Amino acid sequence: MAMEWIFWGLVAAFIAAFFGMKIVKKRTKTRELEVQKRAIMNEFVLPFLPEVMSFYHLEVLGKDPFSVVDSEKLLRGICSLSSEETYQRFDRNEALIHLQDLGESAKEDHQKLLKFLFWYLDYSIGILEAVPEETNFLIREAKLLEKQFAVWCICHEELRMDAPDSVLELIHYSSYFTGVLKQMETGVFREMMADDELRNERRGNFVRIIFQGFENNAQGLVELEAIEQFHEHFKKHYTQRNKKLIRF
C-alpha cells in the first residue's frame, strides 16, 4: 500500500512538473512575442505613422499631400522593412504581401499609393493593438484613416473619368461621412482593397453609400456641385437596367 502511495505521488509530481514547464514555456513565448511586437512598433510603426497620417490632415486642410509629403522616401523606408522575417509572423491579413507587390512603384501612381498606405495601416493597427494601454488614441485614429484611404482610392477609381472634382471635394470634406464609415466593418474595406474583381463588382453601390453620407451634411455650393457630379455619373453608368448588377 505504501509503495502504491509512493507511485501515485511520483506520478502526480511528474504531471505537476510537466504542466509547470508548459506554463513557463508558454509565458516565455508570450513574452518573446511581446518583445518582438514592441520592436516592430518602434522600427516600423512609430517612425512612419505620423507621415502616413499627415496625408489625411494635409488633404483636409486643402493642401496637396502628394506634393508636400516625400512619398518616395516614405515608400522606400516601409518597403525595406516589410520583408523582414519576424514581421511576417504578425501579418494577419497578408498586408505585407500587398506592400511588397505594390512596392516603390506606388510613388508613380496616386491610386497605388493610397492602396499602399491602406495596407501599411492595416498591418500597423495589429501591432498597435498589442499594447493598447499606450496606443489607444493612435488605434482609433489609424482605424478611421484606414477606411478613409480605402474610400478615397475606390471613389477615385470609380469617378476619375467623368466626375474627378467630386472626389477632391469628398476628400476635403471627409468629416461629413465619418459616421457612415464608423458603421461599416473594416473587413468590408479590406475585402474590396484586396480583390480587384470584387471591388469592380461592388464599387458603384459603395460609392453611392459614401456620397449619401456626404450629401446629408453638404451645405456649400462647391460641395453641392460635387454631389451633382456624382449623381450625373451614377445615372450615366448605373441605369435601371443594370443597377441590379451592383451588389453590396
Side-chain angles (χ1 to χ4, degrees), residues 80-98:
S80 67
L81 291 168
S82 64
S83 57
E84 291 283 335
E85 192 175 332
T86 51
Y87 288 27
Q88 311 291 329
R89 172 180 279 182
F90 308 108
D91 191 7
R92 302 176 300 180
N93 305 309
E94 300 185 339
L96 295 179
I97 294 172
H98 289 292

Side-chain angles (χ1 to χ4, degrees), residues 10-239:
L10 289 170
V11 170
F14 173 77
I15 291 172
F18 174 75
F19 281 105
M21 286 175 65
K22 286 197 77 171
I23 291 168
V24 169
K25 190 175 180 181
K26 186 175 181 181
R27 283 177 179 167
T28 303
K29 188 175 181 181
T30 301
R31 206 173 298 118
E32 286 174 358
L33 291 175
E34 287 174 359
V35 169
Q36 287 177 356
K37 283 184 177 180
R38 194 170 288 276
I40 294 170
M41 185 170 74
N42 291 331
E43 296 165 1
F44 187 71
V45 179
L46 297 181
F48 304 115
L49 191 60
E51 206 160 1
V52 170
M53 288 183 163
S54 74
F55 265 79
Y56 169 72
H57 297 297
L58 286 167
E59 191 63 77
V60 170
L61 289 170
K63 297 179 180 178
D64 180 8
F66 296 104
S67 62
V68 176
V69 176
D70 188 347
S71 56
E72 185 173 353
K73 182 181 175 183
L74 182 66
L75 292 171
R76 196 185 311 118
I78 293 172
C79 284
S80 67
L81 291 168
S82 64
S83 57
E84 291 283 335
E85 192 175 332
T86 51
Y87 288 27
Q88 311 291 329
R89 172 180 279 182
F90 308 108
D91 191 7
R92 302 176 300 180
N93 305 309
E94 300 185 339
L96 295 179
I97 294 172
H98 289 292
L99 287 177
Q100 289 159 28
D101 287 346
L102 289 160
E104 290 189 45
S105 66
K107 69 176 180 283
E108 308 294 341
D109 185 316
H110 289 182
Q111 198 74 358
K112 283 185 179 180
L113 181 56
L114 289 169
K115 290 178 185 177
F116 187 95
L117 298 176
F118 172 88
W119 289 114
Y120 168 78
L121 281 174
D122 197 70
Y123 181 84
S124 296
I125 288 164
I127 301 300
L128 289 169
E129 286 176 334
V131 282
E133 68 281 359
E134 297 175 25
T135 60
N136 260 330
F137 69 102
L138 278 176
I139 293 169
R140 286 193 299 271
E141 189 168 354
K143 282 184 172 181
L144 184 57
L145 182 55
E146 180 183 18
K147 294 178 181 180
Q148 295 279 18
F149 280 141
V151 168
W152 298 351
C153 181
I154 295 167
C155 287
H156 184 266
E157 197 171 66
E158 173 68 25
L159 301 166
R160 60 185 166 183
M161 297 306 292
D162 57 359
D165 294 340
S166 63
V167 182
L168 297 175
E169 292 309 310
L170 184 76
I171 292 171
H172 188 59
Y173 295 100
S174 292
S175 60
Y176 283 7
F177 56 90
T178 51
V180 176
L181 297 187
K182 286 176 182 176
Q183 293 171 25
M184 298 169 75
E185 293 292 329
T186 305
V188 171
F189 299 89
R190 194 180 293 124
E191 283 180 0
M192 292 180 70
M193 294 296 279
D195 188 330
D196 292 347
E197 188 175 332
L198 182 68
R199 191 167 65 254
N200 287 338
E201 180 185 295
R202 294 181 173 180
R203 195 173 62 207
N205 218 34
F206 175 84
V207 174
R208 181 178 60 81
I209 290 168
I210 297 300
F211 265 85
Q212 281 177 341
F214 184 31
E215 187 171 18
N216 289 338
N217 294 285
Q219 297 174 351
L221 182 61
V222 179
E223 302 150 59
L224 295 171
E225 285 176 355
I227 290 163
E228 185 58 33
Q229 262 196 15
F230 165 74
H231 284 305
E232 289 300 319
H233 166 85
F234 201 80
K235 287 175 190 174
K236 179 180 175 182
H237 293 278
Y238 303 104
T239 61

